[in-house]
Structure formats: C-alpha cells, structure tokens
Amino acid sequence: MRVLLFDIDGTLIRTGGAGKSAMEQAFEKIYGIKNGFDGIQMMGRTDPAIFLEAANNHGLVLEDEKIEQFKKAYFQFLEEEIEVPRSGKYICPGITALLASLQNQTNLVLGLLTGNWRHSGFLKLHHFGIDGYFTFGAFADDSSRREDLVPVALKRFEEKYGEKPSQRDVYVIGDTPLDIDCARPY
C-alpha cells in the first residue's frame, strides 16, 4: 500500500495570510507585542519553531502556561481569520479533483505531514472542505522539528491500518525544501 503524506499550507491550500494574522493577534494578546512575527520566515516550518523564533527575538522567557494561552488564542483568531475574504486565499488548483481521485484508489492512503498544530491544520482544511480526505498524520504537536514527523506519521499509519509500509511506498508531498529535507531519510 502506498502512503501519501501531504503538507497543508502552499501544497493543498493558501490562506492569504490568515495564519500569520492570527499568530500576530495571539502574540499581541498574550505578550503585548504588536507585529511579533515580522521578519520571520514561516513557509515550511513548524508552528512551534516559528513561535520560538518570535519569542527569542523579543527576549521572552517561555512558560508552559503562556504558550498554551498563545495556542488557544491563535486557534480562536484563526477561526475568525480563515473566514475573512482576502486575496491569495484559495484551495490550490487541481487539489479537489486530485484528492477525490486518490481517495478512490484502493492501494493508496492519504495522510498529513504538516508543520501546523493539529487543531489549526484541521481548521484550515475544514474551511476548504477537504479535511475528510485525511485519516491520519503527523503535526507540530508531535515535534517542533519537521524531520521528526515522518516516523510519527508512519507509526500512526501502522496503528490504524495494521501494516508497515515499505520505504519505497511512502511519499511526502510538499512545496518547500524543508518538506523535501524531512523526507530524505525515508
């Protein structure tokens, strides 16, 4: 059986900046710092790594309680921001037809391998109506290091489907060099 592990942002969808806007608002709400993510490269990175860079840039001492408050605020703001009409917000061309076609293949299973926290990833996918195509995955909740995510996704596949895929049957589908890098050991 082949396992296709999809990235979310830039591969399946584009949010037109909804994610960054929600992170900025959450950062300001919890830490009182406006535009806390200015200058931070977000594409291909995990949400915790992005957050950590912003915190370090502003000399913040990280406390678990505040991090959880940030995540909760981020999810709330993202629910609002994903609904805002904006330029650059769309499902990537051909994705709906591709997912529908792949879902009907008996020798394929679709999963996620994303730098999003699980909740924010599914918020985004749900908005575009494609969340139901994915039965398992690995998320930023599992590790802030993207290269750690493939083994997590494969373990979840094994638990769900009762078989271990061969390395040659696992494909990571993404849009950045970091997506490619995380797949190299496999």
mmCIF file of all heavy atoms in Angstrom, residues 5-8 12 45-48 71 75 110-123 125 131 134-154 156:
data_model
loop_
_atom_site.group_PDB
_atom_site.id
_atom_site.type_symbol
_atom_site.label_atom_id
_atom_site.label_comp_id
_atom_site.label_asym_id
_atom_site.label_seq_id
_atom_site.Cartn_x
_atom_site.Cartn_y
_atom_site.Cartn_z
ATOM 1 N N LEU A 5 1.751 11.483 2.066
ATOM 2 C CA LEU A 5 1.722 12.408 3.195
ATOM 3 C C LEU A 5 1.789 13.839 2.661
ATOM 4 O O LEU A 5 2.817 14.266 2.134
ATOM 5 C CB LEU A 5 2.898 12.133 4.136
ATOM 6 C CG LEU A 5 2.937 10.739 4.748
ATOM 7 C CD1 LEU A 5 4.245 10.521 5.498
ATOM 8 C CD2 LEU A 5 1.741 10.533 5.671
ATOM 9 N N PHE A 6 0.699 14.562 2.807
ATOM 10 C CA PHE A 6 0.586 15.909 2.264
ATOM 11 C C PHE A 6 0.883 16.980 3.306
ATOM 12 O O PHE A 6 0.373 16.940 4.429
ATOM 13 C CB PHE A 6 -0.844 16.158 1.758
ATOM 14 C CG PHE A 6 -1.168 15.497 0.466
ATOM 15 C CD1 PHE A 6 -1.616 14.186 0.438
ATOM 16 C CD2 PHE A 6 -1.034 16.189 -0.729
ATOM 17 C CE1 PHE A 6 -1.930 13.572 -0.760
ATOM 18 C CE2 PHE A 6 -1.353 15.579 -1.933
ATOM 19 C CZ PHE A 6 -1.803 14.261 -1.952
ATOM 20 N N ASP A 7 1.654 17.969 2.883
ATOM 21 C CA ASP A 7 1.778 19.231 3.606
ATOM 22 C C ASP A 7 0.460 19.989 3.394
ATOM 23 O O ASP A 7 -0.285 19.680 2.452
ATOM 24 C CB ASP A 7 2.968 20.007 3.030
ATOM 25 C CG ASP A 7 3.105 21.403 3.602
ATOM 26 O OD1 ASP A 7 3.023 21.560 4.832
ATOM 27 O OD2 ASP A 7 3.288 22.342 2.803
ATOM 28 N N ILE A 8 0.190 20.973 4.224
ATOM 29 C CA ILE A 8 -1.062 21.732 4.081
ATOM 30 C C ILE A 8 -0.826 23.060 3.363
ATOM 31 O O ILE A 8 -1.255 23.258 2.234
ATOM 32 C CB ILE A 8 -1.744 21.960 5.454
ATOM 33 C CG1 ILE A 8 -2.211 20.624 6.040
ATOM 34 C CG2 ILE A 8 -2.911 22.942 5.324
ATOM 35 C CD1 ILE A 8 -2.824 20.712 7.428
ATOM 36 N N LEU A 12 -1.746 22.181 -0.383
ATOM 37 C CA LEU A 12 -3.180 21.948 -0.551
ATOM 38 C C LEU A 12 -3.959 23.254 -0.639
ATOM 39 O O LEU A 12 -4.900 23.370 -1.432
ATOM 40 C CB LEU A 12 -3.721 21.117 0.613
ATOM 41 C CG LEU A 12 -3.154 19.707 0.768
ATOM 42 C CD1 LEU A 12 -3.611 19.092 2.092
ATOM 43 C CD2 LEU A 12 -3.557 18.832 -0.405
ATOM 44 N N ARG A 45 8.073 25.672 7.876
ATOM 45 C CA ARG A 45 8.489 25.491 9.265
ATOM 46 C C ARG A 45 7.311 25.068 10.128
ATOM 47 O O ARG A 45 6.161 25.242 9.766
ATOM 48 C CB ARG A 45 9.085 26.802 9.788
ATOM 49 C CG ARG A 45 10.320 27.193 8.962
ATOM 50 C CD ARG A 45 10.958 28.457 9.429
ATOM 51 N NE ARG A 45 11.478 28.282 10.782
ATOM 52 C CZ ARG A 45 11.657 29.299 11.613
ATOM 53 N NH1 ARG A 45 11.354 30.525 11.260
ATOM 54 N NH2 ARG A 45 12.139 29.089 12.817
ATOM 55 N N THR A 46 7.625 24.539 11.302
ATOM 56 C CA THR A 46 6.559 24.153 12.219
ATOM 57 C C THR A 46 6.097 25.366 13.020
ATOM 58 O O THR A 46 6.878 26.291 13.273
ATOM 59 C CB THR A 46 7.016 23.047 13.189
ATOM 60 O OG1 THR A 46 8.048 23.559 14.031
ATOM 61 C CG2 THR A 46 7.476 21.804 12.449
ATOM 62 N N ASP A 47 4.839 25.331 13.436
ATOM 63 C CA ASP A 47 4.303 26.419 14.255
ATOM 64 C C ASP A 47 5.120 26.642 15.521
ATOM 65 O O ASP A 47 5.420 27.794 15.867
ATOM 66 C CB ASP A 47 2.832 26.162 14.588
ATOM 67 C CG ASP A 47 1.917 26.352 13.379
ATOM 68 O OD1 ASP A 47 2.362 26.906 12.358
ATOM 69 O OD2 ASP A 47 0.752 25.933 13.466
ATOM 70 N N PRO A 48 5.521 25.578 16.256
ATOM 71 C CA PRO A 48 6.331 25.825 17.456
ATOM 72 C C PRO A 48 7.679 26.481 17.140
ATOM 73 O O PRO A 48 8.139 27.329 17.908
ATOM 74 C CB PRO A 48 6.540 24.437 18.054
ATOM 75 C CG PRO A 48 5.449 23.600 17.502
ATOM 76 C CD PRO A 48 5.146 24.165 16.150
ATOM 77 N N LYS A 71 -1.452 29.412 22.119
ATOM 78 C CA LYS A 71 -2.044 28.465 21.177
ATOM 79 C C LYS A 71 -3.571 28.590 21.169
ATOM 80 O O LYS A 71 -4.194 28.614 20.098
ATOM 81 C CB LYS A 71 -1.635 27.030 21.523
ATOM 82 C CG LYS A 71 -0.216 26.707 21.139
ATOM 83 C CD LYS A 71 0.261 25.375 21.653
ATOM 84 C CE LYS A 71 -0.544 24.204 21.217
ATOM 85 N NZ LYS A 71 0.017 22.911 21.676
ATOM 86 N N PHE A 75 -5.745 29.671 17.902
ATOM 87 C CA PHE A 75 -6.826 28.875 17.311
ATOM 88 C C PHE A 75 -8.111 29.699 17.193
ATOM 89 O O PHE A 75 -8.813 29.628 16.184
ATOM 90 C CB PHE A 75 -7.087 27.609 18.120
ATOM 91 C CG PHE A 75 -5.912 26.667 18.216
ATOM 92 C CD1 PHE A 75 -5.764 25.853 19.324
ATOM 93 C CD2 PHE A 75 -4.948 26.586 17.218
ATOM 94 C CE1 PHE A 75 -4.699 24.973 19.435
ATOM 95 C CE2 PHE A 75 -3.869 25.717 17.315
ATOM 96 C CZ PHE A 75 -3.750 24.899 18.425
ATOM 97 N N LEU A 110 -4.221 8.443 2.190
ATOM 98 C CA LEU A 110 -3.833 9.844 2.278
ATOM 99 C C LEU A 110 -3.665 10.251 3.738
ATOM 100 O O LEU A 110 -4.556 10.031 4.561
ATOM 101 C CB LEU A 110 -4.895 10.729 1.632
ATOM 102 C CG LEU A 110 -5.304 10.384 0.201
ATOM 103 C CD1 LEU A 110 -6.348 11.365 -0.303
ATOM 104 C CD2 LEU A 110 -4.104 10.352 -0.709
ATOM 105 N N GLY A 111 -2.543 10.860 4.027
ATOM 106 C CA GLY A 111 -2.273 11.366 5.368
ATOM 107 C C GLY A 111 -1.705 12.774 5.290
ATOM 108 O O GLY A 111 -1.486 13.318 4.201
ATOM 109 N N LEU A 112 -1.467 13.344 6.448
ATOM 110 C CA LEU A 112 -0.909 14.690 6.545
ATOM 111 C C LEU A 112 0.471 14.634 7.191
ATOM 112 O O LEU A 112 0.714 13.826 8.090
ATOM 113 C CB LEU A 112 -1.821 15.592 7.378
ATOM 114 C CG LEU A 112 -3.197 15.868 6.792
ATOM 115 C CD1 LEU A 112 -4.100 16.519 7.834
ATOM 116 C CD2 LEU A 112 -3.093 16.750 5.549
ATOM 117 N N LEU A 113 1.334 15.502 6.749
ATOM 118 C CA LEU A 113 2.627 15.722 7.384
ATOM 119 C C LEU A 113 2.833 17.222 7.326
ATOM 120 O O LEU A 113 3.191 17.771 6.282
ATOM 121 C CB LEU A 113 3.751 14.994 6.643
ATOM 122 C CG LEU A 113 5.048 15.060 7.423
ATOM 123 C CD1 LEU A 113 5.401 13.680 7.947
ATOM 124 C CD2 LEU A 113 6.150 15.621 6.578
ATOM 125 N N THR A 114 2.543 17.886 8.425
ATOM 126 C CA THR A 114 2.445 19.337 8.403
ATOM 127 C C THR A 114 3.101 19.984 9.613
ATOM 128 O O THR A 114 3.133 19.400 10.690
ATOM 129 C CB THR A 114 0.965 19.763 8.321
ATOM 130 O OG1 THR A 114 0.876 21.191 8.342
ATOM 131 C CG2 THR A 114 0.143 19.191 9.455
ATOM 132 N N GLY A 115 3.558 21.195 9.403
ATOM 133 C CA GLY A 115 4.104 21.993 10.489
ATOM 134 C C GLY A 115 3.033 22.685 11.312
ATOM 135 O O GLY A 115 3.333 23.349 12.297
ATOM 136 N N ASN A 116 1.778 22.528 10.921
ATOM 137 C CA ASN A 116 0.673 23.091 11.704
ATOM 138 C C ASN A 116 0.438 22.272 12.965
ATOM 139 O O ASN A 116 0.627 21.057 12.958
ATOM 140 C CB ASN A 116 -0.632 23.021 10.890
ATOM 141 C CG ASN A 116 -0.733 24.060 9.814
ATOM 142 O OD1 ASN A 116 -1.067 25.195 10.074
ATOM 143 N ND2 ASN A 116 -0.450 23.651 8.585
ATOM 144 N N TRP A 117 -0.025 22.943 14.006
ATOM 145 C CA TRP A 117 -0.580 22.181 15.111
ATOM 146 C C TRP A 117 -1.815 21.473 14.557
ATOM 147 O O TRP A 117 -2.456 21.938 13.605
ATOM 148 C CB TRP A 117 -0.969 23.107 16.262
ATOM 149 C CG TRP A 117 0.208 23.566 17.073
ATOM 150 C CD1 TRP A 117 1.081 22.790 17.780
ATOM 151 C CD2 TRP A 117 0.633 24.920 17.281
ATOM 152 N NE1 TRP A 117 2.024 23.565 18.406
ATOM 153 C CE2 TRP A 117 1.766 24.880 18.119
ATOM 154 C CE3 TRP A 117 0.165 26.157 16.844
ATOM 155 C CZ2 TRP A 117 2.447 26.024 18.531
ATOM 156 C CZ3 TRP A 117 0.839 27.299 17.244
ATOM 157 C CH2 TRP A 117 1.961 27.227 18.085
ATOM 158 N N ARG A 118 -2.154 20.345 15.118
ATOM 159 C CA ARG A 118 -3.253 19.534 14.586
ATOM 160 C C ARG A 118 -4.541 20.352 14.463
ATOM 161 O O ARG A 118 -5.202 20.338 13.424
ATOM 162 C CB ARG A 118 -3.475 18.311 15.483
ATOM 163 C CG ARG A 118 -4.500 17.351 14.932
ATOM 164 C CD ARG A 118 -4.705 16.141 15.850
ATOM 165 N NE ARG A 118 -5.343 15.059 15.174
ATOM 166 C CZ ARG A 118 -6.607 15.027 14.798
ATOM 167 N NH1 ARG A 118 -7.388 16.058 15.036
ATOM 168 N NH2 ARG A 118 -7.111 13.978 14.175
ATOM 169 N N HIS A 119 -4.888 21.058 15.527
ATOM 170 C CA HIS A 119 -6.146 21.805 15.532
ATOM 171 C C HIS A 119 -6.156 22.884 14.445
ATOM 172 O O HIS A 119 -7.144 23.010 13.708
ATOM 173 C CB HIS A 119 -6.390 22.420 16.917
ATOM 174 C CG HIS A 119 -7.723 23.068 17.059
ATOM 175 N ND1 HIS A 119 -8.893 22.341 17.092
ATOM 176 C CD2 HIS A 119 -8.084 24.373 17.143
ATOM 177 C CE1 HIS A 119 -9.921 23.177 17.202
ATOM 178 N NE2 HIS A 119 -9.452 24.416 17.227
ATOM 179 N N SER A 120 -5.091 23.636 14.316
ATOM 180 C CA SER A 120 -5.069 24.699 13.304
ATOM 181 C C SER A 120 -5.041 24.114 11.894
ATOM 182 O O SER A 120 -5.673 24.651 10.977
ATOM 183 C CB SER A 120 -3.898 25.656 13.522
ATOM 184 O OG SER A 120 -2.671 24.973 13.577
ATOM 185 N N GLY A 121 -4.339 23.005 11.708
ATOM 186 C CA GLY A 121 -4.316 22.358 10.398
ATOM 187 C C GLY A 121 -5.701 21.941 9.961
ATOM 188 O O GLY A 121 -6.119 22.190 8.819
ATOM 189 N N PHE A 122 -6.438 21.305 10.867
ATOM 190 C CA PHE A 122 -7.785 20.861 10.502
ATOM 191 C C PHE A 122 -8.767 22.029 10.390
ATOM 192 O O PHE A 122 -9.722 21.951 9.602
ATOM 193 C CB PHE A 122 -8.282 19.769 11.449
ATOM 194 C CG PHE A 122 -7.830 18.400 11.013
ATOM 195 C CD1 PHE A 122 -6.815 17.747 11.680
ATOM 196 C CD2 PHE A 122 -8.400 17.781 9.910
ATOM 197 C CE1 PHE A 122 -6.375 16.498 11.262
ATOM 198 C CE2 PHE A 122 -7.977 16.532 9.474
ATOM 199 C CZ PHE A 122 -6.958 15.886 10.156
ATOM 200 N N LEU A 123 -8.540 23.119 11.131
ATOM 201 C CA LEU A 123 -9.376 24.315 10.931
ATOM 202 C C LEU A 123 -9.246 24.810 9.490
ATOM 203 O O LEU A 123 -10.246 25.133 8.834
ATOM 204 C CB LEU A 123 -8.952 25.444 11.872
ATOM 205 C CG LEU A 123 -9.460 25.435 13.291
ATOM 206 C CD1 LEU A 123 -8.789 26.525 14.119
ATOM 207 C CD2 LEU A 123 -10.964 25.620 13.316
ATOM 208 N N LEU A 125 -8.133 23.104 6.775
ATOM 209 C CA LEU A 125 -8.663 22.128 5.813
ATOM 210 C C LEU A 125 -10.185 22.109 5.819
ATOM 211 O O LEU A 125 -10.819 21.994 4.765
ATOM 212 C CB LEU A 125 -8.113 20.733 6.112
ATOM 213 C CG LEU A 125 -6.606 20.549 5.911
ATOM 214 C CD1 LEU A 125 -6.192 19.149 6.335
ATOM 215 C CD2 LEU A 125 -6.200 20.841 4.484
ATOM 216 N N ASP A 131 -10.963 18.381 4.680
ATOM 217 C CA ASP A 131 -10.469 17.704 5.887
ATOM 218 C C ASP A 131 -10.805 16.213 5.901
ATOM 219 O O ASP A 131 -10.042 15.406 6.436
ATOM 220 C CB ASP A 131 -10.982 18.383 7.154
ATOM 221 C CG ASP A 131 -12.486 18.578 7.170
ATOM 222 O OD1 ASP A 131 -13.056 18.935 6.121
ATOM 223 O OD2 ASP A 131 -13.091 18.389 8.232
ATOM 224 N N PHE A 134 -8.328 12.951 4.844
ATOM 225 C CA PHE A 134 -7.119 12.539 5.558
ATOM 226 C C PHE A 134 -7.473 11.765 6.825
ATOM 227 O O PHE A 134 -8.178 12.267 7.688
ATOM 228 C CB PHE A 134 -6.263 13.765 5.868
ATOM 229 C CG PHE A 134 -5.929 14.525 4.615
ATOM 230 C CD1 PHE A 134 -6.658 15.635 4.234
ATOM 231 C CD2 PHE A 134 -4.918 14.081 3.787
ATOM 232 C CE1 PHE A 134 -6.380 16.318 3.060
ATOM 233 C CE2 PHE A 134 -4.621 14.746 2.604
ATOM 234 C CZ PHE A 134 -5.364 15.863 2.242
ATOM 235 N N THR A 135 -6.957 10.549 6.919
ATOM 236 C CA THR A 135 -7.333 9.657 8.011
ATOM 237 C C THR A 135 -6.307 9.596 9.142
ATOM 238 O O THR A 135 -6.582 9.019 10.179
ATOM 239 C CB THR A 135 -7.553 8.234 7.470
ATOM 240 O OG1 THR A 135 -6.338 7.772 6.864
ATOM 241 C CG2 THR A 135 -8.677 8.205 6.440
ATOM 242 N N PHE A 136 -5.132 10.146 8.927
ATOM 243 C CA PHE A 136 -4.091 10.143 9.955
ATOM 244 C C PHE A 136 -3.052 11.185 9.556
ATOM 245 O O PHE A 136 -3.137 11.793 8.492
ATOM 246 C CB PHE A 136 -3.432 8.755 10.071
ATOM 247 C CG PHE A 136 -2.544 8.442 8.914
ATOM 248 C CD1 PHE A 136 -1.176 8.563 9.023
ATOM 249 C CD2 PHE A 136 -3.086 8.061 7.695
ATOM 250 C CE1 PHE A 136 -0.358 8.307 7.929
ATOM 251 C CE2 PHE A 136 -2.281 7.794 6.603
ATOM 252 C CZ PHE A 136 -0.906 7.923 6.725
ATOM 253 N N GLY A 137 -2.061 11.382 10.419
ATOM 254 C CA GLY A 137 -0.993 12.315 10.066
ATOM 255 C C GLY A 137 -0.066 12.583 11.224
ATOM 256 O O GLY A 137 -0.196 12.002 12.305
ATOM 257 N N ALA A 138 0.870 13.474 10.965
ATOM 258 C CA ALA A 138 1.800 13.964 11.981
ATOM 259 C C ALA A 138 1.774 15.481 11.924
ATOM 260 O O ALA A 138 1.694 16.073 10.841
ATOM 261 C CB ALA A 138 3.206 13.427 11.734
ATOM 262 N N PHE A 139 1.842 16.087 13.093
ATOM 263 C CA PHE A 139 1.612 17.518 13.237
ATOM 264 C C PHE A 139 2.674 18.144 14.134
ATOM 265 O O PHE A 139 3.443 17.433 14.781
ATOM 266 C CB PHE A 139 0.217 17.749 13.848
ATOM 267 C CG PHE A 139 -0.872 17.061 13.091
ATOM 268 C CD1 PHE A 139 -1.222 15.745 13.382
ATOM 269 C CD2 PHE A 139 -1.538 17.703 12.068
ATOM 270 C CE1 PHE A 139 -2.216 15.086 12.679
ATOM 271 C CE2 PHE A 139 -2.530 17.052 11.348
ATOM 272 C CZ PHE A 139 -2.877 15.742 11.654
ATOM 273 N N ALA A 140 2.666 19.455 14.198
ATOM 274 C CA ALA A 140 3.618 20.175 15.043
ATOM 275 C C ALA A 140 3.440 19.838 16.520
ATOM 276 O O ALA A 140 4.368 20.020 17.300
ATOM 277 C CB ALA A 140 3.486 21.676 14.822
ATOM 278 N N ASP A 141 2.282 19.336 16.911
ATOM 279 C CA ASP A 141 2.078 18.887 18.301
ATOM 280 C C ASP A 141 3.017 17.724 18.613
ATOM 281 O O ASP A 141 3.368 17.496 19.769
ATOM 282 C CB ASP A 141 0.645 18.386 18.519
ATOM 283 C CG ASP A 141 -0.400 19.346 18.040
ATOM 284 O OD1 ASP A 141 -0.549 19.479 16.816
ATOM 285 O OD2 ASP A 141 -1.076 19.952 18.872
ATOM 286 N N ASP A 142 3.381 16.960 17.579
ATOM 287 C CA ASP A 142 4.219 15.780 17.761
ATOM 288 C C ASP A 142 5.696 16.129 17.896
ATOM 289 O O ASP A 142 6.435 15.431 18.580
ATOM 290 C CB ASP A 142 4.031 14.819 16.579
ATOM 291 C CG ASP A 142 2.595 14.356 16.464
ATOM 292 O OD1 ASP A 142 2.027 13.912 17.478
ATOM 293 O OD2 ASP A 142 2.031 14.450 15.356
ATOM 294 N N SER A 143 6.124 17.187 17.225
ATOM 295 C CA SER A 143 7.505 17.645 17.311
ATOM 296 C C SER A 143 7.621 19.011 16.654
ATOM 297 O O SER A 143 6.950 19.278 15.651
ATOM 298 C CB SER A 143 8.458 16.675 16.609
ATOM 299 O OG SER A 143 9.791 17.166 16.654
ATOM 300 N N SER A 144 8.477 19.839 17.187
ATOM 301 C CA SER A 144 8.735 21.133 16.555
ATOM 302 C C SER A 144 9.732 20.976 15.414
ATOM 303 O O SER A 144 9.953 21.898 14.649
ATOM 304 C CB SER A 144 9.252 22.140 17.580
ATOM 305 O OG SER A 144 10.492 21.711 18.095
ATOM 306 N N ARG A 145 10.317 19.801 15.303
ATOM 307 C CA ARG A 145 11.292 19.504 14.245
ATOM 308 C C ARG A 145 10.592 18.731 13.132
ATOM 309 O O ARG A 145 10.164 17.599 13.333
ATOM 310 C CB ARG A 145 12.453 18.693 14.808
ATOM 311 C CG ARG A 145 13.274 19.431 15.845
ATOM 312 C CD ARG A 145 14.258 18.507 16.567
ATOM 313 N NE ARG A 145 14.631 17.338 15.800
ATOM 314 C CZ ARG A 145 15.834 17.141 15.247
ATOM 315 N NH1 ARG A 145 16.775 18.028 15.412
ATOM 316 N NH2 ARG A 145 16.090 16.024 14.581
ATOM 317 N N ARG A 146 10.506 19.344 11.993
ATOM 318 C CA ARG A 146 9.796 18.731 10.870
ATOM 319 C C ARG A 146 10.369 17.362 10.508
ATOM 320 O O ARG A 146 9.648 16.447 10.135
ATOM 321 C CB ARG A 146 9.842 19.674 9.664
ATOM 322 C CG ARG A 146 8.814 19.337 8.638
ATOM 323 C CD ARG A 146 8.763 20.405 7.556
ATOM 324 N NE ARG A 146 7.619 20.169 6.719
ATOM 325 C CZ ARG A 146 6.466 20.817 6.809
ATOM 326 N NH1 ARG A 146 6.316 21.758 7.699
ATOM 327 N NH2 ARG A 146 5.474 20.525 6.013
ATOM 328 N N GLU A 147 11.676 17.202 10.635
ATOM 329 C CA GLU A 147 12.320 15.931 10.280
ATOM 330 C C GLU A 147 11.911 14.781 11.205
ATOM 331 O O GLU A 147 12.140 13.620 10.868
ATOM 332 C CB GLU A 147 13.848 16.080 10.224
ATOM 333 C CG GLU A 147 14.482 16.548 11.507
ATOM 334 C CD GLU A 147 14.612 18.067 11.636
ATOM 335 O OE1 GLU A 147 13.886 18.818 10.966
ATOM 336 O OE2 GLU A 147 15.434 18.501 12.450
ATOM 337 N N ASP A 148 11.308 15.077 12.337
ATOM 338 C CA ASP A 148 10.812 14.034 13.243
ATOM 339 C C ASP A 148 9.423 13.521 12.860
ATOM 340 O O ASP A 148 8.941 12.541 13.443
ATOM 341 C CB ASP A 148 10.736 14.567 14.679
ATOM 342 C CG ASP A 148 12.086 14.904 15.268
ATOM 343 O OD1 ASP A 148 13.121 14.437 14.733
ATOM 344 O OD2 ASP A 148 12.121 15.656 16.266
ATOM 345 N N LEU A 149 8.770 14.172 11.930
ATOM 346 C CA LEU A 149 7.355 13.903 11.689
ATOM 347 C C LEU A 149 7.062 12.672 10.830
ATOM 348 O O LEU A 149 6.027 12.036 10.998
ATOM 349 C CB LEU A 149 6.675 15.139 11.095
ATOM 350 C CG LEU A 149 6.660 16.367 12.008
ATOM 351 C CD1 LEU A 149 5.963 17.535 11.317
ATOM 352 C CD2 LEU A 149 6.024 16.066 13.350
ATOM 353 N N VAL A 150 7.936 12.323 9.897
ATOM 354 C CA VAL A 150 7.670 11.157 9.056
ATOM 355 C C VAL A 150 7.521 9.888 9.905
ATOM 356 O O VAL A 150 6.544 9.149 9.745
ATOM 357 C CB VAL A 150 8.718 10.985 7.940
ATOM 358 C CG1 VAL A 150 8.512 9.665 7.194
ATOM 359 C CG2 VAL A 150 8.649 12.153 6.954
ATOM 360 N N PRO A 151 8.451 9.598 10.835
ATOM 361 C CA PRO A 151 8.269 8.393 11.659
ATOM 362 C C PRO A 151 6.970 8.399 12.469
ATOM 363 O O PRO A 151 6.335 7.354 12.649
ATOM 364 C CB PRO A 151 9.486 8.392 12.583
ATOM 365 C CG PRO A 151 10.505 9.233 11.906
ATOM 366 C CD PRO A 151 9.738 10.252 11.120
ATOM 367 N N VAL A 152 6.570 9.574 12.937
ATOM 368 C CA VAL A 152 5.313 9.678 13.691
ATOM 369 C C VAL A 152 4.134 9.322 12.785
ATOM 370 O O VAL A 152 3.249 8.553 13.168
ATOM 371 C CB VAL A 152 5.134 11.093 14.291
ATOM 372 C CG1 VAL A 152 3.749 11.265 14.904
ATOM 373 C CG2 VAL A 152 6.220 11.385 15.317
ATOM 374 N N ALA A 153 4.119 9.881 11.582
ATOM 375 C CA ALA A 153 3.027 9.591 10.646
ATOM 376 C C ALA A 153 2.986 8.107 10.299
ATOM 377 O O ALA A 153 1.906 7.500 10.264
ATOM 378 C CB ALA A 153 3.193 10.436 9.379
ATOM 379 N N LEU A 154 4.138 7.502 10.083
ATOM 380 C CA LEU A 154 4.172 6.085 9.721
ATOM 381 C C LEU A 154 3.743 5.192 10.876
ATOM 382 O O LEU A 154 3.087 4.168 10.670
ATOM 383 C CB LEU A 154 5.554 5.696 9.208
ATOM 384 C CG LEU A 154 5.954 6.394 7.905
ATOM 385 C CD1 LEU A 154 7.332 5.944 7.457
ATOM 386 C CD2 LEU A 154 4.918 6.178 6.818
ATOM 387 N N ARG A 156 1.531 6.059 13.110
ATOM 388 C CA ARG A 156 0.067 6.204 13.146
ATOM 389 C C ARG A 156 -0.584 5.394 12.021
ATOM 390 O O ARG A 156 -1.644 4.811 12.209
ATOM 391 C CB ARG A 156 -0.322 7.678 13.066
ATOM 392 C CG ARG A 156 0.022 8.396 14.346
ATOM 393 C CD ARG A 156 -0.685 9.703 14.504
ATOM 394 N NE ARG A 156 -0.371 10.234 15.818
ATOM 395 C CZ ARG A 156 0.199 11.408 16.046
ATOM 396 N NH1 ARG A 156 0.477 12.214 15.041
ATOM 397 N NH2 ARG A 156 0.465 11.794 17.269
#
